[in-house]
PDB file of all heavy atoms in Angstrom:
ATOM      1  N   TYR A 267       6.304   6.618  12.119  1.00 76.00           N
ATOM      2  CA  TYR A 267       7.188   5.583  12.591  1.00 76.00           C
ATOM      3  C   TYR A 267       7.589   4.595  11.465  1.00 76.00           C
ATOM      4  O   TYR A 267       8.693   4.021  11.463  1.00 76.00           O
ATOM      5  CB  TYR A 267       6.501   4.790  13.671  1.00 76.00           C
ATOM      6  CG  TYR A 267       5.484   3.768  13.275  1.00 76.00           C
ATOM      7  CD1 TYR A 267       5.718   2.417  13.177  1.00 76.00           C
ATOM      8  CD2 TYR A 267       4.191   4.220  12.973  1.00 76.00           C
ATOM      9  CE1 TYR A 267       4.858   1.550  12.744  1.00 76.00           C
ATOM     10  CE2 TYR A 267       3.188   3.352  12.577  1.00 76.00           C
ATOM     11  CZ  TYR A 267       3.530   1.973  12.469  1.00 76.00           C
ATOM     12  OH  TYR A 267       2.611   1.065  12.008  1.00 76.00           O
ATOM     13  N   ALA A 312      -1.231   6.055   5.455  1.00 84.00           N
ATOM     14  CA  ALA A 312      -2.127   5.582   6.496  1.00 84.00           C
ATOM     15  C   ALA A 312      -1.358   5.207   7.692  1.00 84.00           C
ATOM     16  O   ALA A 312      -0.213   4.772   7.576  1.00 84.00           O
ATOM     17  CB  ALA A 312      -3.014   4.428   6.031  1.00 84.00           C
ATOM     18  N   GLU A 313      -1.956   5.419   8.835  1.00 79.00           N
ATOM     19  CA  GLU A 313      -1.460   4.745  10.076  1.00 79.00           C
ATOM     20  C   GLU A 313      -1.929   3.275   9.965  1.00 79.00           C
ATOM     21  O   GLU A 313      -3.192   3.053   9.630  1.00 79.00           O
ATOM     22  CB  GLU A 313      -1.970   5.379  11.331  1.00 79.00           C
ATOM     23  CG  GLU A 313      -1.472   6.870  11.492  1.00 79.00           C
ATOM     24  CD  GLU A 313      -0.029   6.919  11.852  1.00 79.00           C
ATOM     25  OE1 GLU A 313       0.535   5.883  12.329  1.00 79.00           O
ATOM     26  OE2 GLU A 313       0.592   7.956  11.606  1.00 79.00           O
ATOM     27  N   SER A 314      -1.083   2.278  10.224  1.00 69.00           N
ATOM     28  CA  SER A 314      -1.366   0.936   9.805  1.00 69.00           C
ATOM     29  C   SER A 314      -1.052  -0.153  10.793  1.00 69.00           C
ATOM     30  O   SER A 314      -0.516  -1.180  10.330  1.00 69.00           O
ATOM     31  CB  SER A 314      -0.846   0.632   8.424  1.00 69.00           C
ATOM     32  OG  SER A 314       0.574   0.774   8.523  1.00 69.00           O
ATOM     33  N   HIS A 315      -1.342  -0.061  12.065  1.00 64.00           N
ATOM     34  CA  HIS A 315      -0.954  -1.068  13.010  1.00 64.00           C
ATOM     35  C   HIS A 315      -2.078  -1.208  13.982  1.00 64.00           C
ATOM     36  O   HIS A 315      -2.505  -0.251  14.593  1.00 64.00           O
ATOM     37  CB  HIS A 315       0.327  -0.774  13.725  1.00 64.00           C
ATOM     38  CG  HIS A 315       0.974  -1.928  14.416  1.00 64.00           C
ATOM     39  ND1 HIS A 315       0.661  -2.198  15.713  1.00 64.00           N
ATOM     40  CD2 HIS A 315       1.839  -2.886  14.015  1.00 64.00           C
ATOM     41  CE1 HIS A 315       1.301  -3.330  16.067  1.00 64.00           C
ATOM     42  NE2 HIS A 315       2.016  -3.733  15.053  1.00 64.00           N
ATOM     43  N   VAL A 316      -2.548  -2.458  14.173  1.00 64.00           N
ATOM     44  CA  VAL A 316      -3.702  -2.733  15.012  1.00 64.00           C
ATOM     45  C   VAL A 316      -3.390  -2.320  16.415  1.00 64.00           C
ATOM     46  O   VAL A 316      -4.143  -1.578  17.038  1.00 64.00           O
ATOM     47  CB  VAL A 316      -4.112  -4.218  14.935  1.00 64.00           C
ATOM     48  CG1 VAL A 316      -5.148  -4.521  16.004  1.00 64.00           C
ATOM     49  CG2 VAL A 316      -4.609  -4.585  13.542  1.00 64.00           C
ATOM     50  N   THR A 317      -2.263  -2.755  17.015  1.00 66.00           N
ATOM     51  CA  THR A 317      -1.995  -2.485  18.450  1.00 66.00           C
ATOM     52  C   THR A 317      -1.824  -0.977  18.646  1.00 66.00           C
ATOM     53  O   THR A 317      -2.339  -0.435  19.657  1.00 66.00           O
ATOM     54  CB  THR A 317      -0.756  -3.232  18.914  1.00 66.00           C
ATOM     55  OG1 THR A 317      -1.003  -4.644  18.667  1.00 66.00           O
ATOM     56  CG2 THR A 317      -0.489  -2.986  20.382  1.00 66.00           C
ATOM     57  N   ARG A 318      -1.127  -0.282  17.800  1.00 67.00           N
ATOM     58  CA  ARG A 318      -0.985   1.154  17.954  1.00 67.00           C
ATOM     59  C   ARG A 318      -2.311   1.885  17.898  1.00 67.00           C
ATOM     60  O   ARG A 318      -2.485   2.928  18.542  1.00 67.00           O
ATOM     61  CB  ARG A 318      -0.055   1.676  16.802  1.00 67.00           C
ATOM     62  CG  ARG A 318       1.436   1.370  17.058  1.00 67.00           C
ATOM     63  CD  ARG A 318       2.265   1.882  15.874  1.00 67.00           C
ATOM     64  NE  ARG A 318       3.692   1.514  15.999  1.00 67.00           N
ATOM     65  CZ  ARG A 318       4.581   2.310  16.604  1.00 67.00           C
ATOM     66  NH1 ARG A 318       4.226   3.466  17.114  1.00 67.00           N
ATOM     67  NH2 ARG A 318       5.813   1.876  16.707  1.00 67.00           N
ATOM     68  N   SER A 319      -3.259   1.347  17.096  1.00 60.00           N
ATOM     69  CA  SER A 319      -4.562   2.023  17.003  1.00 60.00           C
ATOM     70  C   SER A 319      -5.351   1.914  18.247  1.00 60.00           C
ATOM     71  O   SER A 319      -6.212   2.716  18.527  1.00 60.00           O
ATOM     72  CB  SER A 319      -5.309   1.406  15.831  1.00 60.00           C
ATOM     73  OG  SER A 319      -5.880   0.160  16.102  1.00 60.00           O
ATOM     74  N   LEU A 320      -5.019   0.926  19.060  1.00 62.00           N
ATOM     75  CA  LEU A 320      -5.720   0.749  20.355  1.00 62.00           C
ATOM     76  C   LEU A 320      -5.195   1.855  21.381  1.00 62.00           C
ATOM     77  O   LEU A 320      -5.935   2.284  22.244  1.00 62.00           O
ATOM     78  CB  LEU A 320      -5.465  -0.640  20.990  1.00 62.00           C
ATOM     79  CG  LEU A 320      -5.925  -1.813  20.141  1.00 62.00           C
ATOM     80  CD1 LEU A 320      -5.517  -3.129  20.753  1.00 62.00           C
ATOM     81  CD2 LEU A 320      -7.439  -1.759  19.982  1.00 62.00           C
ATOM     82  N   LEU A 321      -3.936   2.231  21.241  1.00 61.00           N
ATOM     83  CA  LEU A 321      -3.356   3.201  22.089  1.00 61.00           C
ATOM     84  C   LEU A 321      -3.603   4.673  21.713  1.00 61.00           C
ATOM     85  O   LEU A 321      -3.745   5.518  22.540  1.00 61.00           O
ATOM     86  CB  LEU A 321      -1.782   2.976  22.190  1.00 61.00           C
ATOM     87  CG  LEU A 321      -1.385   1.593  22.558  1.00 61.00           C
ATOM     88  CD1 LEU A 321       0.135   1.419  22.442  1.00 61.00           C
ATOM     89  CD2 LEU A 321      -1.787   1.249  24.000  1.00 61.00           C
ATOM     90  N   ASN A 322      -3.778   4.881  20.379  1.00 69.00           N
ATOM     91  CA  ASN A 322      -3.950   6.306  19.871  1.00 69.00           C
ATOM     92  C   ASN A 322      -4.853   6.304  18.674  1.00 69.00           C
ATOM     93  O   ASN A 322      -4.459   6.589  17.600  1.00 69.00           O
ATOM     94  CB  ASN A 322      -2.582   6.880  19.553  1.00 69.00           C
ATOM     95  CG  ASN A 322      -2.656   8.402  19.288  1.00 69.00           C
ATOM     96  OD1 ASN A 322      -3.613   8.990  19.563  1.00 69.00           O
ATOM     97  ND2 ASN A 322      -1.540   8.942  18.808  1.00 69.00           N
ATOM     98  N   PRO A 323      -6.112   6.000  18.972  1.00 70.00           N
ATOM     99  CA  PRO A 323      -7.083   5.862  17.739  1.00 70.00           C
ATOM    100  C   PRO A 323      -7.274   7.225  17.055  1.00 70.00           C
ATOM    101  O   PRO A 323      -7.525   7.212  15.852  1.00 70.00           O
ATOM    102  CB  PRO A 323      -8.355   5.410  18.403  1.00 70.00           C
ATOM    103  CG  PRO A 323      -8.228   5.737  19.873  1.00 70.00           C
ATOM    104  CD  PRO A 323      -6.792   5.689  20.192  1.00 70.00           C
ATOM    105  N   ARG A 324      -7.209   8.304  17.708  1.00 77.00           N
ATOM    106  CA  ARG A 324      -7.409   9.598  17.017  1.00 77.00           C
ATOM    107  C   ARG A 324      -6.470   9.868  15.820  1.00 77.00           C
ATOM    108  O   ARG A 324      -6.867  10.383  14.779  1.00 77.00           O
ATOM    109  CB  ARG A 324      -7.350  10.722  17.993  1.00 77.00           C
ATOM    110  CG  ARG A 324      -7.660  12.126  17.397  1.00 77.00           C
ATOM    111  CD  ARG A 324      -7.725  13.255  18.398  1.00 77.00           C
ATOM    112  NE  ARG A 324      -8.802  13.077  19.341  1.00 77.00           N
ATOM    113  CZ  ARG A 324     -10.037  13.470  19.053  1.00 77.00           C
ATOM    114  NH1 ARG A 324     -10.350  14.042  17.915  1.00 77.00           N
ATOM    115  NH2 ARG A 324     -10.994  13.253  19.929  1.00 77.00           N
ATOM    116  N   THR A 325      -5.180   9.487  16.037  1.00 80.00           N
ATOM    117  CA  THR A 325      -4.212   9.664  15.020  1.00 80.00           C
ATOM    118  C   THR A 325      -4.651   8.838  13.772  1.00 80.00           C
ATOM    119  O   THR A 325      -4.441   9.308  12.597  1.00 80.00           O
ATOM    120  CB  THR A 325      -2.818   9.115  15.483  1.00 80.00           C
ATOM    121  OG1 THR A 325      -2.418   9.992  16.609  1.00 80.00           O
ATOM    122  CG2 THR A 325      -1.785   9.317  14.346  1.00 80.00           C
ATOM    123  N   PHE A 326      -5.178   7.647  13.976  1.00 81.00           N
ATOM    124  CA  PHE A 326      -5.577   6.814  12.806  1.00 81.00           C
ATOM    125  C   PHE A 326      -6.802   7.475  12.075  1.00 81.00           C
ATOM    126  O   PHE A 326      -6.829   7.442  10.860  1.00 81.00           O
ATOM    127  CB  PHE A 326      -5.930   5.413  13.331  1.00 81.00           C
ATOM    128  CG  PHE A 326      -4.745   4.577  13.703  1.00 81.00           C
ATOM    129  CD1 PHE A 326      -3.974   4.873  14.873  1.00 81.00           C
ATOM    130  CD2 PHE A 326      -4.381   3.573  12.823  1.00 81.00           C
ATOM    131  CE1 PHE A 326      -2.853   4.098  15.082  1.00 81.00           C
ATOM    132  CE2 PHE A 326      -3.257   2.762  13.094  1.00 81.00           C
ATOM    133  CZ  PHE A 326      -2.505   3.087  14.207  1.00 81.00           C
ATOM    134  N   VAL A 327      -7.712   8.029  12.832  1.00 83.00           N
ATOM    135  CA  VAL A 327      -8.861   8.692  12.163  1.00 83.00           C
ATOM    136  C   VAL A 327      -8.389   9.906  11.432  1.00 83.00           C
ATOM    137  O   VAL A 327      -8.807  10.152  10.269  1.00 83.00           O
ATOM    138  CB  VAL A 327      -9.945   9.029  13.191  1.00 83.00           C
ATOM    139  CG1 VAL A 327     -11.063   9.909  12.573  1.00 83.00           C
ATOM    140  CG2 VAL A 327     -10.506   7.797  13.853  1.00 83.00           C
ATOM    141  N   ASP A 328      -7.487  10.711  12.024  1.00 86.00           N
ATOM    142  CA  ASP A 328      -6.952  11.922  11.381  1.00 86.00           C
ATOM    143  C   ASP A 328      -6.282  11.566  10.055  1.00 86.00           C
ATOM    144  O   ASP A 328      -6.569  12.196   8.999  1.00 86.00           O
ATOM    145  CB  ASP A 328      -5.994  12.659  12.308  1.00 86.00           C
ATOM    146  CG  ASP A 328      -6.687  13.299  13.466  1.00 86.00           C
ATOM    147  OD1 ASP A 328      -7.929  13.477  13.404  1.00 86.00           O
ATOM    148  OD2 ASP A 328      -6.005  13.719  14.401  1.00 86.00           O
ATOM    149  N   THR A 329      -5.436  10.602  10.086  1.00 88.00           N
ATOM    150  CA  THR A 329      -4.634  10.293   8.902  1.00 88.00           C
ATOM    151  C   THR A 329      -5.416   9.474   7.877  1.00 88.00           C
ATOM    152  O   THR A 329      -5.541   9.879   6.684  1.00 88.00           O
ATOM    153  CB  THR A 329      -3.397   9.450   9.249  1.00 88.00           C
ATOM    154  OG1 THR A 329      -2.570  10.245  10.152  1.00 88.00           O
ATOM    155  CG2 THR A 329      -2.548   9.168   7.979  1.00 88.00           C
ATOM    156  N   ASP A 330      -6.064   8.373   8.323  1.00 92.00           N
ATOM    157  CA  ASP A 330      -6.713   7.480   7.432  1.00 92.00           C
ATOM    158  C   ASP A 330      -7.995   7.985   6.832  1.00 92.00           C
ATOM    159  O   ASP A 330      -8.333   7.840   5.647  1.00 92.00           O
ATOM    160  CB  ASP A 330      -6.938   6.091   8.114  1.00 92.00           C
ATOM    161  CG  ASP A 330      -5.678   5.462   8.541  1.00 92.00           C
ATOM    162  OD1 ASP A 330      -4.619   6.112   8.468  1.00 92.00           O
ATOM    163  OD2 ASP A 330      -5.705   4.332   9.011  1.00 92.00           O
ATOM    164  N   THR A 355      -7.304  -2.318   3.006  1.00 91.00           N
ATOM    165  CA  THR A 355      -6.754  -3.454   3.630  1.00 91.00           C
ATOM    166  C   THR A 355      -7.795  -4.514   3.842  1.00 91.00           C
ATOM    167  O   THR A 355      -9.005  -4.172   3.949  1.00 91.00           O
ATOM    168  CB  THR A 355      -6.122  -3.073   5.015  1.00 91.00           C
ATOM    169  OG1 THR A 355      -5.820  -4.236   5.733  1.00 91.00           O
ATOM    170  CG2 THR A 355      -7.169  -2.313   5.812  1.00 91.00           C
ATOM    171  N   GLU A 357      -8.222  -5.989   6.465  1.00 87.00           N
ATOM    172  CA  GLU A 357      -8.663  -5.843   7.863  1.00 87.00           C
ATOM    173  C   GLU A 357     -10.056  -5.304   7.915  1.00 87.00           C
ATOM    174  O   GLU A 357     -10.756  -5.481   9.026  1.00 87.00           O
ATOM    175  CB  GLU A 357      -7.662  -4.908   8.655  1.00 87.00           C
ATOM    176  CG  GLU A 357      -6.305  -5.568   8.876  1.00 87.00           C
ATOM    177  CD  GLU A 357      -6.309  -6.561   9.985  1.00 87.00           C
ATOM    178  OE1 GLU A 357      -7.256  -6.630  10.776  1.00 87.00           O
ATOM    179  OE2 GLU A 357      -5.363  -7.399  10.070  1.00 87.00           O
ATOM    180  N   PRO A 375     -15.078  -4.266  10.709  1.00 79.00           N
ATOM    181  CA  PRO A 375     -13.740  -4.013  11.334  1.00 79.00           C
ATOM    182  C   PRO A 375     -13.734  -4.225  12.806  1.00 79.00           C
ATOM    183  O   PRO A 375     -14.725  -3.943  13.526  1.00 79.00           O
ATOM    184  CB  PRO A 375     -13.504  -2.524  10.967  1.00 79.00           C
ATOM    185  CG  PRO A 375     -14.895  -1.979  10.775  1.00 79.00           C
ATOM    186  CD  PRO A 375     -15.694  -3.047  10.202  1.00 79.00           C
ATOM    187  N   ARG A 376     -12.620  -4.828  13.369  1.00 80.00           N
ATOM    188  CA  ARG A 376     -12.527  -5.115  14.745  1.00 80.00           C
ATOM    189  C   ARG A 376     -11.474  -4.419  15.511  1.00 80.00           C
ATOM    190  O   ARG A 376     -11.128  -4.813  16.578  1.00 80.00           O
ATOM    191  CB  ARG A 376     -12.292  -6.622  14.815  1.00 80.00           C
ATOM    192  CG  ARG A 376     -13.428  -7.510  14.262  1.00 80.00           C
ATOM    193  CD  ARG A 376     -13.006  -8.986  14.164  1.00 80.00           C
ATOM    194  NE  ARG A 376     -12.629  -9.486  15.438  1.00 80.00           N
ATOM    195  CZ  ARG A 376     -13.479 -10.107  16.276  1.00 80.00           C
ATOM    196  NH1 ARG A 376     -14.754 -10.187  15.982  1.00 80.00           N
ATOM    197  NH2 ARG A 376     -13.062 -10.611  17.420  1.00 80.00           N
ATOM    198  N   SER A 377     -10.941  -3.292  14.914  1.00 84.00           N
ATOM    199  CA  SER A 377     -10.005  -2.475  15.672  1.00 84.00           C
ATOM    200  C   SER A 377     -10.193  -1.024  15.099  1.00 84.00           C
ATOM    201  O   SER A 377     -10.722  -0.765  14.030  1.00 84.00           O
ATOM    202  CB  SER A 377      -8.565  -2.966  15.330  1.00 84.00           C
ATOM    203  OG  SER A 377      -8.220  -2.690  14.015  1.00 84.00           O
ATOM    204  N   PRO A 378      -9.692  -0.132  15.929  1.00 85.00           N
ATOM    205  CA  PRO A 378      -9.736   1.342  15.378  1.00 85.00           C
ATOM    206  C   PRO A 378      -9.029   1.527  14.083  1.00 85.00           C
ATOM    207  O   PRO A 378      -9.541   2.268  13.226  1.00 85.00           O
ATOM    208  CB  PRO A 378      -9.044   2.126  16.531  1.00 85.00           C
ATOM    209  CG  PRO A 378      -9.277   1.328  17.764  1.00 85.00           C
ATOM    210  CD  PRO A 378      -9.243  -0.113  17.295  1.00 85.00           C
ATOM    211  N   TYR A 379      -7.907   0.831  13.899  1.00 87.00           N
ATOM    212  CA  TYR A 379      -7.241   0.863  12.575  1.00 87.00           C
ATOM    213  C   TYR A 379      -8.137   0.403  11.382  1.00 87.00           C
ATOM    214  O   TYR A 379      -8.371   1.106  10.423  1.00 87.00           O
ATOM    215  CB  TYR A 379      -5.975   0.056  12.629  1.00 87.00           C
ATOM    216  CG  TYR A 379      -5.464  -0.298  11.197  1.00 87.00           C
ATOM    217  CD1 TYR A 379      -5.135   0.620  10.288  1.00 87.00           C
ATOM    218  CD2 TYR A 379      -5.313  -1.694  10.876  1.00 87.00           C
ATOM    219  CE1 TYR A 379      -4.677   0.234   9.017  1.00 87.00           C
ATOM    220  CE2 TYR A 379      -4.878  -2.042   9.703  1.00 87.00           C
ATOM    221  CZ  TYR A 379      -4.520  -1.094   8.696  1.00 87.00           C
ATOM    222  OH  TYR A 379      -4.086  -1.465   7.458  1.00 87.00           O
ATOM    223  N   ALA A 380      -8.700  -0.760  11.601  1.00 89.00           N
ATOM    224  CA  ALA A 380      -9.577  -1.306  10.606  1.00 89.00           C
ATOM    225  C   ALA A 380     -10.839  -0.484  10.357  1.00 89.00           C
ATOM    226  O   ALA A 380     -11.286  -0.278   9.233  1.00 89.00           O
ATOM    227  CB  ALA A 380     -10.008  -2.718  10.936  1.00 89.00           C
ATOM    228  N   ALA A 381     -11.375   0.137  11.437  1.00 89.00           N
ATOM    229  CA  ALA A 381     -12.567   0.954  11.331  1.00 89.00           C
ATOM    230  C   ALA A 381     -12.202   2.268  10.535  1.00 89.00           C
ATOM    231  O   ALA A 381     -13.021   2.723   9.741  1.00 89.00           O
ATOM    232  CB  ALA A 381     -13.073   1.328  12.700  1.00 89.00           C
ATOM    233  N   ALA A 382     -11.004   2.842  10.794  1.00 92.00           N
ATOM    234  CA  ALA A 382     -10.609   3.996  10.097  1.00 92.00           C
ATOM    235  C   ALA A 382     -10.434   3.736   8.596  1.00 92.00           C
ATOM    236  O   ALA A 382     -10.828   4.530   7.749  1.00 92.00           O
ATOM    237  CB  ALA A 382      -9.299   4.592  10.679  1.00 92.00           C
ATOM    238  N   LYS A 383      -9.825   2.633   8.274  1.00 93.00           N
ATOM    239  CA  LYS A 383      -9.673   2.221   6.890  1.00 93.00           C
ATOM    240  C   LYS A 383     -10.998   1.962   6.199  1.00 93.00           C
ATOM    241  O   LYS A 383     -11.262   2.322   5.025  1.00 93.00           O
ATOM    242  CB  LYS A 383      -8.782   1.022   6.713  1.00 93.00           C
ATOM    243  CG  LYS A 383      -7.385   1.228   7.154  1.00 93.00           C
ATOM    244  CD  LYS A 383      -6.676   2.283   6.192  1.00 93.00           C
ATOM    245  CE  LYS A 383      -6.470   1.791   4.833  1.00 93.00           C
ATOM    246  NZ  LYS A 383      -5.692   2.786   4.003  1.00 93.00           N
ATOM    247  N   ALA A 384     -11.981   1.325   6.902  1.00 93.00           N
ATOM    248  CA  ALA A 384     -13.285   1.140   6.406  1.00 93.00           C
ATOM    249  C   ALA A 384     -14.043   2.490   6.115  1.00 93.00           C
ATOM    250  O   ALA A 384     -14.681   2.655   5.083  1.00 93.00           O
ATOM    251  CB  ALA A 384     -14.189   0.303   7.360  1.00 93.00           C
ATOM    252  N   GLU A 417       8.186  -4.411  13.727  1.00 82.00           N
ATOM    253  CA  GLU A 417       7.141  -4.857  14.656  1.00 82.00           C
ATOM    254  C   GLU A 417       6.111  -5.740  14.019  1.00 82.00           C
ATOM    255  O   GLU A 417       5.300  -6.277  14.702  1.00 82.00           O
ATOM    256  CB  GLU A 417       6.487  -3.629  15.305  1.00 82.00           C
ATOM    257  CG  GLU A 417       5.637  -2.817  14.376  1.00 82.00           C
ATOM    258  CD  GLU A 417       5.107  -1.563  15.035  1.00 82.00           C
ATOM    259  OE1 GLU A 417       5.407  -1.275  16.224  1.00 82.00           O
ATOM    260  OE2 GLU A 417       4.277  -0.809  14.365  1.00 82.00           O
ATOM    261  N   LYS A 418       6.052  -5.776  12.718  1.00 87.00           N
ATOM    262  CA  LYS A 418       5.143  -6.698  12.002  1.00 87.00           C
ATOM    263  C   LYS A 418       5.543  -8.141  12.199  1.00 87.00           C
ATOM    264  O   LYS A 418       6.695  -8.459  12.449  1.00 87.00           O
ATOM    265  CB  LYS A 418       5.122  -6.340  10.560  1.00 87.00           C
ATOM    266  CG  LYS A 418       4.698  -4.881  10.249  1.00 87.00           C
ATOM    267  CD  LYS A 418       3.291  -4.508  10.639  1.00 87.00           C
ATOM    268  CE  LYS A 418       2.934  -3.154  10.218  1.00 87.00           C
ATOM    269  NZ  LYS A 418       1.493  -2.817  10.589  1.00 87.00           N
ATOM    270  N   ARG A 506      -4.449 -10.218  21.737  1.00 59.00           N
ATOM    271  CA  ARG A 506      -4.772  -8.800  21.932  1.00 59.00           C
ATOM    272  C   ARG A 506      -6.212  -8.593  22.074  1.00 59.00           C
ATOM    273  O   ARG A 506      -6.648  -7.543  22.555  1.00 59.00           O
ATOM    274  CB  ARG A 506      -4.235  -8.019  20.745  1.00 59.00           C
ATOM    275  CG  ARG A 506      -2.713  -8.072  20.693  1.00 59.00           C
ATOM    276  CD  ARG A 506      -2.220  -7.363  19.422  1.00 59.00           C
ATOM    277  NE  ARG A 506      -2.695  -8.084  18.141  1.00 59.00           N
ATOM    278  CZ  ARG A 506      -2.156  -7.851  16.914  1.00 59.00           C
ATOM    279  NH1 ARG A 506      -1.223  -7.011  16.809  1.00 59.00           N
ATOM    280  NH2 ARG A 506      -2.684  -8.575  15.941  1.00 59.00           N
TER     281      ARG A 506
END
Side-chain angles (χ1 to χ4, degrees):
Y267 79 99
E313 297 290 339
S314 60
H315 194 272
V316 171
T317 302
R318 286 178 182 267
S319 76
L320 301 175
L321 302 174
N322 191 9
R324 182 174 295 277
T325 300
F326 284 72
V327 173
D328 287 345
T329 301
D330 299 6
T355 171
E357 290 284 342
R376 295 171 60 88
S377 69
Y379 159 59
K383 291 299 289 185
E417 70 184 2
K418 302 295 185 178
R506 293 174 298 193

